[in-house]
Amino acid sequence: MKLHDATRGVTKPIATEPRFRPEFAILLLLIQLALFQSANAQPLDESPAVDPVPLTAEQVVRNLTEMNLHRAQSLHGFQGTRVYRAVYRGFGGPRSAEMSVNVKYLSPGTKEFTILSATGSKLIVDRVFKKLLEAEKEALAPRIQQRSALTEDNYRFTLIDCEIDGAGASYVFEVEPRSRDKFLYRGRIWVDAKDFAVIRLEGEPARNPSFWTKKAEIVQAYMKVNDFWLPAHNRSVTAIRLGGHAELTIEYTDYQITGAGMGSGLPVPETVPNVNTTRMRK
């Protein structure tokens, strides 16, 4: 006797519940992090730290935009080593991984990555770390660079403070994206008061990268390498909607500048001469 299949010829409803994939929740955030990897080059200045001259917010932003453009044109190439570490704790059990990578950058838009070692969760290595490297290459495209640039076309800037420490002085800005573009972020930046380069940023994506993420926090710091500022450390923490969190850190070491064209082509930042103060006009 043949058995009758009651489901034959019946159209089954398509499930509408989104399937939780923790690696995707992390990955979507990391793709945005790829946009924060571009170098902030600036002239090296060994002079003692002094109080900053009081510029308006508009003057600082104008200097920052102009100097960023010239620095990008002056950095022709570099290489270095990165160590990616990710830890996920939450639904589906804990996972962690680490990957060491050599990176070579060649202006205007080429990055080559060589994986030196990888340990831990293969899922994170393959679907997070390697995808992040691919996304960083794609982020070098001119159209994405334009959409993600730290300019008044993309952001509103509010000067809130000046901080002075042993390394010098910096202007502190709140930045608010003008649109909910996935390539932008909101938060706070520190701008070097002499060379007008971003030396630190703290923020979150302008748009939640995934249904599964409740909040994503990003902190990135830069360090001087010869005549340039390059990324030194990145840390991001993502809160998952079902509970738990994912944490990513990136350590940057062993930098070598392989090509540079700094010098007379750099503009002179706008300043107010013969003024010495510990506060800035807002």
Side-chain angles (χ1 to χ4, degrees):
M1 181 175 63
K2 295 183 180 180
L3 297 177
H4 175 66
D5 185 356
T7 63
R8 185 174 297 171
V10 177
T11 302
K12 297 180 179 180
I14 299 175
T16 58
E17 290 293 329
R19 183 184 177 190
F20 178 61
R21 298 294 297 273
E23 72 275 12
F24 289 167
I26 306 171
L27 172 61
L28 290 171
L29 173 65
L30 299 189
I31 289 175
Q32 292 176 311
L33 291 177
L35 300 173
F36 304 151
Q37 309 306 317
S38 50
N40 280 315
Q42 69 179 45
L44 183 63
D45 191 336
E46 299 295 342
S47 60
V50 297
D51 292 345
V53 295
L55 301 183
T56 65
E58 291 76 13
Q59 289 172 318
V60 176
V61 172
R62 186 160 55 247
N63 285 341
L64 173 65
T65 301
E66 187 171 319
M67 295 296 283
N68 276 347
L69 176 61
H70 282 268
R71 281 188 290 264
Q73 294 171 343
S74 299
L75 183 59
H76 298 167
F78 70 84
Q79 64 182 27
T81 301
R82 300 179 187 174
V83 178
Y84 295 78
R85 297 183 180 93
V87 177
Y88 167 78
R89 294 184 178 89
F91 184 84
R95 294 177 184 150
S96 64
E98 178 177 313
M99 186 171 76
S100 179
V101 177
N102 177 264
V103 56
K104 294 182 179 180
Y105 168 76
L106 183 64
S107 178
T110 301
K111 278 187 180 177
E112 297 180 358
F113 298 98
T114 302
I115 298 175
L116 306 177
S117 65
T119 59
S121 169
K122 189 174 186 299
L123 188 69
I124 293 179
V125 171
D126 290 341
R127 298 192 181 183
V128 176
F129 291 160
K130 291 182 181 179
K131 293 296 184 181
L132 174 58
L133 300 184
E134 294 175 8
E136 188 170 338
K137 288 183 179 180
E138 294 173 2
L140 293 171
R143 61 182 180 81
I144 297 181
Q145 291 289 306
Q146 183 177 5
R147 287 172 61 182
S148 62
L150 192 61
T151 64
E152 289 188 291
D153 288 338
N154 295 327
Y155 290 94
R156 296 182 182 87
F157 296 81
T158 303
L159 180 59
I160 61 173
D161 202 1
C162 169
E163 294 184 358
I164 303 174
D165 55 28
S170 58
Y171 297 89
V172 185
F173 281 87
E174 293 282 358
V175 292
E176 183 69 22
R178 293 186 180 275
S179 67
R180 297 182 69 249
D181 193 301
K182 65 180 181 179
F183 297 118
L184 302 179
Y185 62 93
R186 62 172 51 82
R188 184 169 294 190
I189 61 171
W190 283 253
V191 179
D192 183 85
K194 292 182 179 179
D195 301 302
F196 300 97
V198 174
I199 59 177
R200 180 180 176 85
L201 70 85
E202 297 179 359
E204 61 182 352
R207 190 173 75 192
N208 193 347
S210 168
F211 168 83
W212 297 109
T213 60
K214 290 195 301 185
K215 186 174 179 62
E217 298 177 347
I218 304 164
V219 177
Q220 178 146 311
Y222 296 83
M223 63 180 173
K224 286 181 178 179
V225 181
N226 295 351
D227 294 332
F228 298 91
W229 282 90
L230 298 173
H233 177 81
N234 182 294
R235 178 177 182 268
S236 63
V237 177
T238 307
I240 306 301
R241 192 174 297 277
L242 293 183
H245 71 278
E247 180 176 341
L248 168 79
T249 60
I250 310 174
E251 299 287 347
Y252 305 77
T253 61
D254 303 328
Y255 277 121
Q256 295 180 35
I257 304 301
T258 58
M262 309 248 336
S264 60
L266 286 173
V268 178
E270 182 178 3
T271 61
V272 179
N274 303 321
V275 179
N276 201 22
T277 181
T278 60
R279 306 298 296 177
M280 300 185 185
R281 297 199 305 269
K282 298 184 181 180

